[in-house]
Amino acid sequence: MPTISYREALRQAMDEEMARDERVLLIGEEVAQYNGAYKVSRGLWDKYGDRRVRDTPITEGGFAGIGIGAAMTGLRPIVEFMTFNFSIQALDQIINNAAKMRYMSGGQFTLPIVFRGPNGPAAYLSSQHSQALAALFTHCPGLKVVHPATPYDAKGLLKSAIRDDNPVIFMEGELMYAWEGDVPEEEYTLPLGQADLKRTGQDVSIITFGKPLQTVTEAAARLEAEGIAAEIVDLRTLRPLDQATIRQSVQKTNRCVVVDESWPMCSVGSHVAWLVSNQCFDLLDAPVELVSGEDVPMPYNHTLELAALPSVEKVVQAVKAVLYLK
Amino acid sequence: MPTISYREALRQAMDEEMARDERVLLIGEEVAQYNGAYKVSRGLWDKYGDRRVRDTPITEGGFAGIGIGAAMTGLRPIVEFMTFNFSIQALDQIINNAAKMRYMSGGQFTLPIVFRGPNGPAAYLSSQHSQALAALFTHCPGLKVVHPATPYDAKGLLKSAIRDDNPVIFMEGELMYAWEGDVPEEEYTLPLGQADLKRTGQDVSIITFGKPLQTVTEAAARLEAEGIAAEIVDLRTLRPLDQATIRQSVQKTNRCVVVDESWPMCSVGSHVAWLVSNQCFDLLDAPVELVSGEDVPMPYNHTLELAALPSVEKVVQAVKAVLYLK
Amino acid sequence: MKAPARQAKEPDPLQLLKTMLLIRRFEEKASQQYGLRKISGFLHLYIGEEAVATGAIAAADLNRDYVVAAYRDHGHALAVGMDPKPLMAELFAKSTGCSRGKGGSMHFFDADRHFLGGNGIVGAQIPVATGVGLKLKYLDEDGVVLCFFGDGAIHQGAFHESLNLARLWNLPVVYICENNQYGMGTDFRRVSSITDYSKMAGSYDLPGSQVDGMDVLAVHQAVSEAIGRARREALPSLLEIKTYRYVGHSISDPATYRSKEELQQHKQQDPILILKNHMQEEHTLSEDDFKKLDAEAKAAVQEAVAFAESSPEPDLSTLYEDVLV
Amino acid sequence: MKAPARQAKEPDPLQLLKTMLLIRRFEEKASQQYGLRKISGFLHLYIGEEAVATGAIAAADLNRDYVVAAYRDHGHALAVGMDPKPLMAELFAKSTGCSRGKGGSMHFFDADRHFLGGNGIVGAQIPVATGVGLKLKYLDEDGVVLCFFGDGAIHQGAFHESLNLARLWNLPVVYICENNQYGMGTDFRRVSSITDYSKMAGSYDLPGSQVDGMDVLAVHQAVSEAIGRARREALPSLLEIKTYRYVGHSISDPATYRSKEELQQHKQQDPILILKNHMQEEHTLSEDDFKKLDAEAKAAVQEAVAFAESSPEPDLSTLYEDVLV
Ligand SMILES: Cc1ncc(C[n+]2csc(CCOP(=O)(O)OP(=O)(O)O)c2C)c(N)n1
Ligand SMILES: Cc1ncc(C[n+]2csc(CCOP(=O)(O)OP(=O)(O)O)c2C)c(N)n1
Ligand SMILES: [Mg+2]
Ligand SMILES: [Mg+2]
């Protein structure tokens, strides 16, 4: 199996789906001639031209709405946000139009549209450019929210997202673009809404998604050295949430730590932590712990920035806490 | 003590604070000549004139940003959203500017600004006009979020919000505007960040805020008739959250139901439910239950609409569930 | 390549009159039914403004063209040819409503007739309509989009963002500002730095013009021309159509912000009367014809009420339907 | 009432030259320090554009006037008179930085000098600046706001919403579009339906004009006039100042989207050279003078680096400070 980057996996997914279905197009800032601010769309403009790969002005609200209108009438747009920090300007279009159009029309329209781009802090970018905003979207019915953490998942899930007839928020990560992994040469898709065990273990379930998977994986290795076998549940899709896989894991381990790099309040992390607390009440040997980003805007200084994020250390400590190891 | 409406309580708060401090002004759609779409600002334009009570064009993003600039340089604007449904258009200004300006300038600016208006479903307004959006704001550090449920709380908290040097999201409710309650004639303020026991009881803690307080109060009465003594914790402020009061209550009752009319995922409700699950792990005799709005956009049909909301019936059932009464 | 342009449609005054009467009577009936508590929530009526949707949409060919409106959408829904029955049923929140009782007054839709709502967020439909223009261009169809929005909506950033892109990409969209003089209780002059909105077209190198919206034939003419430009040259236009609403913003608004005189003055320019007079001058309509047409409109609307009345409520299970595919 | 208008400030070419040199050398040094990994993250340099912030801000009186900028803000910070030391320290993420090491390159602020940033969201500073105009008007102060934004930002709805309100309320704001020809990798003509942005003023009944942004005296002149209108008549203006950035959008951008020839051509119009030549023609500057000024600028910047280098990192506890008052 070839080893490719997360970036290349996304590019392949878009390329294959554009080749497969002429109604798929890509719009966003710098996606065409510049090949994407993070080069995710490299080569697509060369291959598909002005019609199907479109640079837009810097008008997130406007071009998100344009994507929605196009999706309501038969196209299958992929709308790239240069980063999800800027998607807040499009949130009204996404929450009030994309997520509700089908419902309020009594099912008359489908909205096959993907909003994608990097989410979450990269490094040294300060507060306006370092936000993990999955909760804003996961809160809202009418959307699907996907947040893959490996090249394999990214490719298979993006292909499914593009084929899905619902609005899908597809969150990537600046720092993840360079991550590498095995991706089969043959075509494949992965179903939305299924979590994946990235590691099995019987001592504790660590539930996460997106970039913190790396932190969690490192933490699991460190724990293993101390004789603690962590199971890693990678949610992959945040809405709809795969509650069955979560439950199965905690049923086995009886202990759970959730790791989410966003702010703690009203986060995907705290929601999952409540779900586990509620659904596995009789099984839990310890309270469900949440390792989240600190509850502050992100500072520029890197030492502070790292302190504001989930770390291997914090995950290890949370695991020890649920195991009642000091 | 005079009995006044929630609407009048808010009006009094604004009137008193405008009289007290010339830097306080009110801006928003229809706030001046029309006296507010829901008449909350009745008489203020007559009294304070064009300078201090300003009608705006329908440009939520624009006038929210204008409020922010004015607040950074010494004014204390109250920005009314006709409803919080429309605040999503201003969310970028609120999250990226209001909530972060102080932090990213290293503490150089204060942002004494209140964004207020009705939040949550009223009746028969369909999906775009019936959203309980507290979670979007509560997620974000750099903001305070207040959601009072009685005229007394509304007045005292709005006065404090206006005097606060931080950006405060102040959420009211269309259907609450007509609610009545006792409000002292003498001036008073209430501190932000303090929950309030609206009812004491030792069998179960019901934690809620905003409009569902009425539902919860009715449910408590019904439960009382069945010999179950519910304690009602009204959060009043969602950020910062009064964790101490929550804990104290659950310490006493050992059982907890959270009621929030918003969608369940990543909600204030599920966050509080996790906090209780985590912090009161050893005390809890049952899983923390969440009664939320259903996970769907709001339909117009009233029967469906009522079915989508927390109800007395649902609260009673959740309480019985945590008491292991069938 | 685009198909060779078909002939611009000649206006059919009789049909225009029928549509305007149907809208007028539908709105009056809806208002009455609201009073009887058969309808609740917001109800934004189109009385006085009938000529705008009627004249504009009659200029379109809905086999290939599209219509996008705001929440004051009853007139547009009837003008695209929707049956009053599912519309009244929607207002009654019945399962037979065009949106299954989930949308209500603000959310009329008809995918088959290319009617895309019905949007409750001021200005939010403007980018959506622009996106429909993109799909037409993308699929090389020769359709055009009519995008309606209010005098209040034009200040929204969405307007600016949309028109720039429409011109840049040459999308076949006709932007129609229905200037009924008020956004809720606010005279449009109180919230605008200019009073001739058609001038805003200059920022996007687009043709812009003002149109008398009480004269359905003038509306038809202006929109036909704009459709022609869009269809043949992929050139968007901005039209400011001046009109007036006779009733409050929504049914709960007493509209005390304007004088009786002002209202009376505008009622003298009633779009139905103007067309009726015109047709009578042209001897294409007798007083009896008119009465008959009006009676037909009233009957259709009455039937719609009966249909709505007798329709079932949506089943509780539908609460969870239509969220996702 | 407003205070009687003071005299518009005469430009002081020597001071303008000093400021431009300081900006140029500061930016070059920042770029070098980035290469040495002393600075990380985004770094948007102002090289080539010095005349815009310099000329414009020199026309203001910062005791009463305000400046609001986007993320390409080093030039504006220096032009308002901020010491290069806390600026370089901010880039170095040190506790002595103007924003305590929390903001970085995009978030320079100086409340005392009325410099309000430093905003990373394209266009989001335009309403904020307009709000500062509201406070000036509200408190009946005779100040003016200079609001800077890019050619990419002008399409944002926030621009449209702000200018309408500024005119409607007659707020003393000068809107300055710094058209450096590119928004990131995009030639501004590729995303705009018009190429003369000053025409957009027409939508808001405002004066609009284009200005040569490589000629600092022309910038000073145009902005002085606009400030005068704002101060005396509370009339906002829109200026499109044409300029050019010599380096990539941010330090990581190789700027392959433009030709070497294009870049060379613009460098011939270097704002520092133009002013220098002008002063030499006027015999107010010798080559030696220039060299001395340049050496001073370099020394100041070198000192700033030394200051930044030797400053302490912020304490970990500051992570939780400045969130709320
Ligand atoms: C973004 C947003 N802000 C506010 C509202 C509340 N609102 C509903 S209609 C309306 C007035 C709109 O006026 P106009 O665009 O002139 O349309 P008209 O009602 O006159 O047809 C307002 C402010 C809304 N629905 N959406
Ligand atoms: C709302 C938003 N969208 C996208 C970006 C990413 N971005 C940063 S700078 C930039 C280009 C801005 O160009 P322009 O306004 O011309 O300013 P310049 O960089 O030329 O000074 C873009 C797209 C952003 N910061 N904010
Ligand atoms: Mg109107
Ligand atoms: Mg630029």
Side-chain angles (χ1 to χ4, degrees), chain D residues 227-297:
Chain D
I227 287 178
R229 281 191 296 272
R231 212 186 297 287
R232 285 188 298 274
E233 306 158 43
L235 184 64
S237 303
L238 173 63
L239 302 179
E240 180 194 359
I241 304 193
K242 306 282 280 188
T243 180
Y244 198 80
R245 75 168 145 72
Y246 292 180
V247 292
H249 165 72
S250 70
I251 201 139
S252 61
D253 168 28
T256 50
Y257 40 81
R258 61 182 181 191
S259 65
K260 287 222 173 87
E261 294 70 44
E262 180 186 308
L263 176 59
Q264 281 317 316
Q265 200 178 312
H266 278 96
K267 281 190 174 174
Q268 247 112 75
Q269 299 297 310
D270 186 84
I272 295 175
L273 269 189
I274 290 178
L275 178 61
K276 181 186 167 204
N277 291 344
H278 170 82
M279 290 173 74
Q280 291 186 335
E281 276 164 29
E282 305 254 306
H283 302 293
T284 54
L285 185 84
S286 70
E287 192 62 39
D288 270 0
D289 292 342
F290 182 79
K291 283 198 180 129
K292 200 168 141 256
L293 292 178
D294 196 21
E296 279 169 22

Side-chain angles (χ1 to χ4, degrees), chain C residues 226-241:
Chain C
I227 287 178
R229 280 191 297 272
R231 213 186 297 287
R232 284 187 300 273
E233 305 159 43
L235 184 64
S237 303
L238 173 63
L239 302 179
E240 180 194 359
I241 304 193

Side-chain angles (χ1 to χ4, degrees), chain A residues 264-267 270 274 290, chain B residues 241 267-276:
Chain A
M265 292 193 75
C266 310
S267 60
S270 73
W274 166 67
L290 171 64
Chain B
L241 201 57
S267 60
V268 174
S270 72
H271 185 80
V272 170
W274 167 67
L275 270 183
V276 172

Side-chain angles (χ1 to χ4, degrees), chain B residues 29-30 58 60 82 86 89 129, chain C residues 44 49 71-72 120-122 149-154 156 178 180 182-184 245 249:
Chain B
E29 294 157 16
E30 307 287 352
I58 307 168
E60 280 77 5
M82 193 176 283
F86 316 137
Q89 296 198 337
H129 283 75
Chain C
H44 307 96
E49 307 185 40
Y71 48 85
R72 193 181 301 284
I121 305 298
V122 169
F149 53 92
D151 49 284
I154 202 165
Q156 283 278 24
E178 302 185 275
N180 63 4
Y182 291 91
M184 236 169 207
R245 75 168 144 71
H249 166 72

Side-chain angles (χ1 to χ4, degrees), chain B residues 264-314:
Chain B
M265 292 191 76
C266 310
S267 60
V268 174
S270 72
H271 185 80
V272 170
W274 167 67
L275 270 183
V276 172
S277 303
N278 177 273
Q279 301 190 2
C280 306
F281 184 76
D282 291 326
L283 302 166
L284 283 171
D285 290 335
V288 180
E289 294 295 338
L290 171 64
V291 177
S292 72
E294 298 296 311
D295 197 20
V296 299
M298 187 59 80
Y300 166 59
N301 177 282
H302 197 48
T303 310
L304 299 190
E305 183 173 34
L306 290 176
L309 286 169
S311 64
V312 174
E313 194 50 48
K314 289 179 191 174

Side-chain angles (χ1 to χ4, degrees), chain B residues 30 33-34 38 55-60 82 86 89 123-126 128-129 294 296-297 299-301 303-304 307-308, chain C residues 40-42 90-91 93 101-104 106-107 119-121 155-156 183-186 190-191 253 313-314 318-320:
Chain B
E30 307 287 352
Q33 300 192 19
Y34 200 72
Y38 298 100
D55 283 328
T56 64
I58 307 168
T59 53
E60 280 77 5
M82 193 176 283
F86 316 137
Q89 296 198 337
Y124 305 96
L125 300 185
S126 190
Q128 291 181 326
H129 283 75
E294 298 296 311
V296 299
Y300 166 59
N301 177 282
T303 310
L304 299 190
Chain C
S40 291
F42 292 146
E90 187 60 33
L91 297 181
K102 288 177 170 176
M106 298 186 286
H107 305 299
N119 199 310
I121 305 298
H155 303 297
Q156 283 278 24
M184 236 169 207
T186 303
R190 286 211 294 117
V191 286
D253 168 27
E313 291 264 327
T318 64
L319 178 61
Y320 304 96

